[in-house]
Structures are given as C-alpha cells and as structure tokens.
Amino acid sequence: MKERIEALMAEIEALSCKNEQEIEEARVRLLGKKGEVTKLFEEFRTVAPELKREFGQKLNVLKNTAAAKIEELKNAAEEAPAAAQAAFDYTMPGDPVQLGSRHPVSIAREEIVGIFRKFGYDVAEGPEVEDDWHVFEALNFPPEHPAREMQDTFFISDSDNPVLLRTHTSSVQVRAMEKMPLPIRIVCPGRVFRNEAISARAHCIFHQVEGLYIDENVTFADMKQAILLFAREMFGAQTQIRMRPSYFPFTEPSAEVDVSCNICGGKGCNICKGTGWLEIMGCGMVDPNVLEASGIDSTKYSGFAFGMGVERIAMLKWQVRDLRNYFENDLRFLKEFETSL
Ligand code: PHE
C-alpha cells in the first residue's frame, strides 16, 4: 500500500491537463466515488491497527494534495484566456480610424460668414434663450401684432415678460444696437427655433445668418450692392439678384431676395420650379422705430438688415432636396461633403 500511495503522489504532482474537461476527468479518476484515492481510503479499513496512524496521515496528505492540485489546475485554466490576450500580435495592422468631416451646415455657415468678413463685417453672437423685448418688442412687434404669428414661438415661461427660444437672429441686432458703438457692421450666425411641423422644407431648429449695417447715409442701394456681391461670391460670378417687395415689422421698406437659379442658369428647371429664381433671404432698411428703441438717433443714422437660412442656402448650393438630411447624421450623406473641407 505504501508504494501505491507514493506512486499516486508522484502521479498527482506531475499531473497536467489541457482543458477543463481533462481536469474534471482527473478529479473523477482520483477523488470520485470510485477514484484511486477513495479506493485507498476503503482499503485503509483493512490495515493493521498499529499501522493505521502512519497510513492515515499519508492518505490524508495524498487526498489534500490531490484536491489542491485540481484546484490549481482549474485556476490556471480560468486565467488562460487572459494569457492568450497577452500574446496578441501588436505588429498586426490596426482597423482604420474613420476621420470625421465638417457638417454641411457648418461649412455653409462659415462660407457665408467668411464672405461678409471679407467685406469688413464683424461677427456678433447672442443668446438662444431670449426675452420678448429682444425677439419682438424692440423689433417693432407690438403685443398682439399679427406678425408674431408668422413665427411660431417656443415659450419657456409664460409670464408678462416671457422667456422664449429666439425665432430669428434679429434679436442679436437689437443686442448689438444697444451696446455697440456706431457705425455697426456685423453678421450674426446662430441657431433659431420655431414650433413648426418637421418636413422636407421646414424644421423646428435651423440656423440663420443675420446682417446689420448702421451708419450715416446708408441707403437701399448700399444694401442691394452688398447682397449682390454676397450672392456672386456664394453662387458664382454669373449670379443675378432680384428683389420683391415684402413685409417685416422691423424693416421699411422690406424685400425678399431671389438669386438666379444656379442649376439652370435662369432658364427654368425643377429646382427653381421653372421660374429661374431661388429665394435666399429677407432684407430691408432698419425701421426708424427699431433704431429709436435701441437708443439710436434715427434722424442721423440709417441702416439695412438682412437674414438668411443657412440650411436653405446649403440646400440651394448643393441641391439637397430634404432638409431633414441635415439632422439625421447619416454618414453616407455627411461624407458627400468631405471634399468641401
Ligand atoms: N428675421 C427675418 C426672418 O427670420 C429675416 C430678416 C432679417 C428680414 C433682417 C429682414 C431683415 O424671417
């Protein structure tokens, strides 16, 4: 029996297994109900009483060694995946990292602002969360004025002086007139909000660039020239503009500006719906009431303002048919503008 214990001990110490299944097999073979170690314990009953003490100790050591070995093998098997990871081949070529590109709305906004910067305009910005004064009242929209309905407003608080999301960047004009020294020559890019149903042509969030020029002797002719030069920079040297009379409470006279269709060159196509013209912005001479509301002497100063939708300009420039594309962040769409960087 002594030899068998020693042989088994040697076997246990040298035990090695490839996987968890082999470990389980070894455990059953040694410690299972009919296992080798278990069998020795049964035989122990027949050992002569004077030897029981010695063999009992040996058997206990054997059993503990077997259990410890199995445990050790199990732990090693669990760590094996980590070891495999450590063997990762770092010289393997990596997955290519996709580079991002600028969003078409950002590209268009920067192009618009860049053109006016060249003309000597500064950039001004204002808050998106505004009060009634800057969005309406100071722009000659008295309370109950029907023109407020033109711009479905998101209200944040419902008091006598409500807090609201600006519906146009004209609010920045007011802030500029209130605090900037004259003359003022600025463009104001920014995000605006209107409570409109989302469709291919309208969204509740979009971007505008506002322009404002106030000085002595600023005339409608100056405005026409500034807009014509802008249109030619933006849509090409052949571009013509036309102005149609319009209405905004804060400008008088007011106009809508169309550019000759850059797709068909003015002959008429489905982009310009056969008219040869595309509407790009609203504009007008700043109403004297608006100058006075911001503390500017309307007998001495005059000015013009204009406002355009960035998404609309981008749609016309790149023939995007559905405004919603700008907000869905589909990489296939965004990647089309990569080369415009
Ligand atoms: N604020 C006007 C709009 O959002 C655009 C505009 C700006 C018109 C400045 C005239 C002058 O529709």
Side-chain angles (χ1 to χ4, degrees):
M1 188 164 184
K2 198 173 167 200
E3 288 87 68
R4 279 178 52 211
I5 292 176
E6 272 162 14
L8 210 49
M9 193 62 151
E11 189 192 318
I12 289 166
E13 273 162 5
L15 191 64
S16 87
C17 296
K18 279 209 249 3
N19 53 37
E20 289 187 18
Q21 195 191 339
E22 278 188 21
I23 298 170
E24 181 58 13
E25 279 165 13
R27 189 190 65 79
V28 172
R29 182 158 45 79
L30 294 169
L31 300 167
K33 269 201 185 121
K34 289 181 186 150
E36 309 266 0
V37 179
T38 320
K39 258 193 249 161
L40 284 174
F41 269 91
E42 272 160 23
E43 281 174 34
F44 177 69
R45 273 185 269 151
T46 63
V47 168
E50 67 274 19
L51 294 174
K52 272 214 155 100
R53 192 182 154 83
E54 188 197 339
F55 276 108
Q57 273 175 358
K58 281 207 157 77
L59 272 180
N60 274 331
V61 171
L62 182 71
K63 187 180 162 192
N64 290 342
T65 311
K69 184 75 184 180
I70 299 282
E71 195 59 28
E72 182 193 316
L73 288 171
K74 271 191 186 161
N75 289 342
E78 271 167 24
E79 279 164 20
Q85 244 176 30
F88 178 78
D89 179 0
Y90 289 104
T91 63
M92 248 160 66
D95 290 333
V97 177
Q98 284 203 11
L99 284 184
S101 54
R102 294 229 307 290
H103 192 278
V105 171
S106 301
I107 297 171
R109 184 198 57 220
E110 277 167 32
E111 197 170 332
I112 297 165
V113 169
I115 292 169
F116 284 104
R117 285 188 105 118
K118 278 201 289 192
F119 296 169
Y121 286 66
D122 288 330
V123 178
E125 280 178 315
E128 292 176 351
V129 178
E130 267 289 9
D131 51 26
D132 188 84
W133 171 258
H134 290 94
V135 176
F136 294 125
E137 191 82 36
L139 287 166
N140 206 26
F141 288 83
E144 314 306 330
H145 192 288
R148 288 185 180 222
E149 295 289 309
M150 276 159 62
Q151 305 188 350
D152 302 289
T153 311
F154 284 116
F155 289 95
I156 289 174
S157 81
D158 187 16
S159 62
D160 285 346
N161 185 16
V163 177
L164 43 90
L165 295 179
R166 65 181 179 195
T167 56
H168 54 179
T169 42
S170 300
S171 54
V172 188
Q173 282 188 34
V174 179
R175 291 189 175 272
M177 288 187 288
E178 282 170 349
K179 61 172 197 283
M180 284 174 79
L182 293 164
I184 295 173
R185 187 154 51 180
I186 52 167
V187 275
C188 323
R191 199 154 56 146
V192 301
F193 307 84
R194 291 186 194 177
N195 188 6
E196 287 196 41
I198 295 170
S199 72
R201 296 171 62 87
H203 208 285
C204 54
I205 301 176
F206 58 102
H207 299 78
Q208 287 188 330
V209 176
E210 187 88 7
L212 177 70
Y213 180 28
I214 298 177
D215 202 348
E216 290 175 36
N217 304 319
V218 177
T219 66
F220 199 96
D222 296 326
M223 175 170 78
K224 238 170 118 177
Q225 188 65 6
I227 292 172
L228 175 66
L229 292 176
F230 162 74
R232 292 199 167 155
E233 289 277 326
M234 193 76 202
F235 295 102
Q238 308 305 312
T239 309
Q240 301 288 329
I241 63 165
R242 74 174 184 186
M243 289 183 166
R244 289 174 287 113
S246 184
Y247 173 76
F248 301 102
F250 39 96
T251 48
E252 182 61 35
S254 307
E256 300 283 353
V257 182
D258 296 342
V259 290
S260 52
C261 178
N262 56 330
I263 310 301
C264 60
K267 285 190 211 71
C269 65
N270 62 351
I271 301 285
C272 60
K273 301 203 189 69
T275 63
W277 295 96
L278 302 164
E279 187 185 315
I280 58 158
M281 66 169 90
C283 67
M285 301 306 291
V286 181
D287 192 300
N289 285 345
V290 173
L291 295 173
E292 296 291 340
S294 299
I296 295 173
D297 181 355
S298 65
T299 57
K300 190 164 172 216
Y301 290 96
S302 58
F304 63 77
F306 53 86
M308 67 191 99
V310 178
E311 282 82 356
R312 175 153 179 86
I313 299 273
M315 279 172 100
L316 298 177
K317 194 168 164 84
W318 294 309
Q319 293 146 56
V320 175
R321 283 165 192 273
D322 193 325
L323 186 76
R324 288 167 291 195
N325 284 328
Y326 290 129
F327 301 95
E328 280 165 5
N329 284 336
D330 183 333
L331 281 179
R332 291 167 300 181
F333 172 74
L334 297 178
K335 284 212 170 294
E336 290 186 38
F337 300 89
E338 253 178 356
T339 50
S340 311
L341 272 178

